[in-house]
Amino acid sequence: MNTPTAAAPAAATRPREEDRTAGARGALRETRRRRRTRALAVPAVLLAIAALLALLTLCFGSVRLSLDQVLGSLLGIRENGAVDFIVHDLAGPQVKAALCVGLALGAAGTIFQQLLRNPLASPDFVGISAGASVAAVAGIAVPAFAGASLPALAFVGGVVTAAAMYLLAWRDGITGYRFVLIGIGTAAFCTGVVGYLLTRTSLTEARAALHWLTGSIGQAGDAENDVLLVALIVLLPFVPVLQRMLRSIEMGDDTARGLGVRIEPTRLALIAVGVLLTSLATAVAGPIAFVALVAGPVADRLLGSARGGIVAAGAVGAILCLVADYVAQHLLPVEVPTGVVTGAVGAPYLLWLIATTNRRGMGG
């Protein structure tokens, strides 16, 4: 007599459990949909802002132009010799360099930060930019390198320094903590070498070297700018692959191995991409400080749960470089290198980042 009575509540609870399960699945699908939407929308908006800033920079440079004149010259709709000269030969290369350098540094910075799982692990602090600087200053100070291209020397210096760091950090694999420590030591060593080289130069050579070391967009030629642009275009189709590689590494080595990921080849490929972008950007503009450090965290704040976007970080880097270069050229009483402006903005951010990281118990 009691069996049907006991079974009735159990049967009544099954639909409720199924409803809760279906509701949880629906909420999960909705969360994933929103994350995918945000992962696509945020980079698109940031790239659009960067493109708009580039157009405004051309309009409000040393010579004021209307947006119609700039677009007409860029699209080849209207022919005006004076406007074409300003857009294509005078201001255009500077804006293109700012866009490309910012994209490269922003993407490289977030790759290193995610790969090494450390918000301070940007190319500025792990020695790659410092290695490029040593090679470039050697091109100014050492007679044996006289006549060599500074951007080419900077690129070679960054690549060689990164290879040396990788070999020094290798102990049955690469860990982020060891790589960062070796990078900091390498950066300190390179800074000492640069200081020594500067003492061996004349006043004119030292002034030229210091201008390059501060970081200044627009000091490279068309060939270096075009190489960086081509590298970005070539790497663009591989961004989804790089993004998946970073996601797999972020899960931890054991989990990634369980999913069939080859850890060390994946890590080496990501480091190679980051080094390539950093070296090419440094070859074009010198070591622009703090752009690689700031771009990734800012993009992550905008992306929310879809954090870690390479394109979004690159777009933030492009916006930072465009704004900093415009301020350095047009809004200060005296024209200064771009790195002065990024350093003035980035140094307080670095102090804040170190303080908040230590409060969370992640500072070591």
Side-chain angles (χ1 to χ4, degrees):
M1 296 292 293
N2 292 333
T3 303
T5 306
T13 58
R14 287 196 195 99
R16 296 176 185 174
E17 293 176 357
E18 292 174 355
D19 290 343
R20 283 196 293 268
T21 302
R25 289 174 180 170
L28 181 60
R29 284 195 296 270
E30 180 64 18
T31 300
R32 288 176 176 173
R33 185 189 65 79
R34 290 180 179 176
R35 185 167 59 185
R36 285 194 298 267
T37 302
R38 195 163 186 174
L40 294 174
V42 170
V45 171
L46 290 172
L47 288 173
I49 292 173
L52 179 60
L53 284 174
L55 291 174
L56 292 176
T57 301
L58 292 173
C59 291
F60 298 98
S62 301
V63 179
R64 294 290 193 268
L65 298 173
S66 68
L67 184 60
D68 182 64
Q69 287 176 311
V70 172
L71 289 176
S73 178
L74 289 174
L75 299 175
I77 300 173
R78 296 180 179 86
E79 291 187 7
N80 185 316
V83 173
D84 290 343
F85 174 74
I86 294 170
V87 172
H88 294 285
D89 299 319
L90 189 62
Q94 182 96 359
V95 172
K96 182 176 75 172
L99 277 171
C100 292
V101 168
L103 284 167
L105 289 178
T110 198
I111 286 174
F112 275 105
Q113 287 165 343
Q114 293 180 67
L115 179 63
L116 303 178
R117 301 170 196 166
N118 191 325
L120 297 174
S122 79
D124 308 71
F125 299 104
V126 296
I128 298 169
S129 297
S133 300
V134 168
V137 174
I140 296 174
V142 179
F145 295 118
S149 169
L150 290 189
L153 288 174
F155 174 75
V156 173
V159 172
V160 171
T161 302
M165 288 166 48
Y166 188 87
L167 293 175
L168 290 171
W170 177 269
R171 293 292 183 278
D172 297 325
I174 296 292
T175 62
Y177 183 73
R178 187 189 302 124
F179 193 89
V180 170
L181 286 180
I182 289 177
I184 293 173
T186 302
F189 173 77
C190 291
T191 301
V193 174
V194 167
Y196 170 76
L197 290 174
L198 289 176
T199 64
R200 313 303 296 176
T201 62
S202 66
L203 184 61
T204 303
E205 292 171 337
R207 187 181 293 113
L210 286 174
H211 182 81
W212 192 90
L213 287 170
T214 306
S216 181
I217 293 172
Q219 61 185 348
D222 291 338
E224 291 81 13
N225 290 334
D226 291 341
V227 169
L228 177 56
L229 177 61
V230 169
L232 291 171
I233 293 173
V234 170
L235 287 174
L236 182 60
F238 298 97
V239 167
V241 178
L242 295 172
Q243 199 71 68
R244 286 195 296 270
M245 293 166 70
L246 281 173
R247 297 288 188 205
S248 65
I249 292 294
E250 277 189 312
M251 292 186 297
D253 291 358
D254 294 336
T255 303
R257 286 193 185 95
L259 295 174
V261 177
R262 300 174 63 191
I263 297 297
E264 290 311 320
T266 299
R267 188 176 282 123
L268 179 59
L270 290 167
I271 290 176
V273 172
V275 169
L276 175 67
L277 291 174
T278 303
S279 299
L280 288 175
T282 306
V284 168
I288 303 288
F290 295 110
V291 173
L293 176 72
V294 173
V298 171
D300 286 345
R301 288 292 184 93
L302 297 173
L303 286 166
S305 60
R307 60 183 299 276
I310 295 175
V311 176
V316 171
I319 292 171
L320 291 174
C321 280
L322 283 167
V323 173
D325 189 55
Y326 187 83
V327 171
Q329 286 192 81
H330 303 292
L331 299 186
L332 296 179
V334 179
E335 185 176 331
V336 298
T338 313
V340 172
V341 178
T342 60
V345 175
Y349 170 79
L350 175 61
L351 295 175
W352 174 82
L353 181 62
I354 293 173
T356 56
T357 298
N358 283 332
R359 281 202 297 269
R360 290 195 297 266
M362 298 167 56

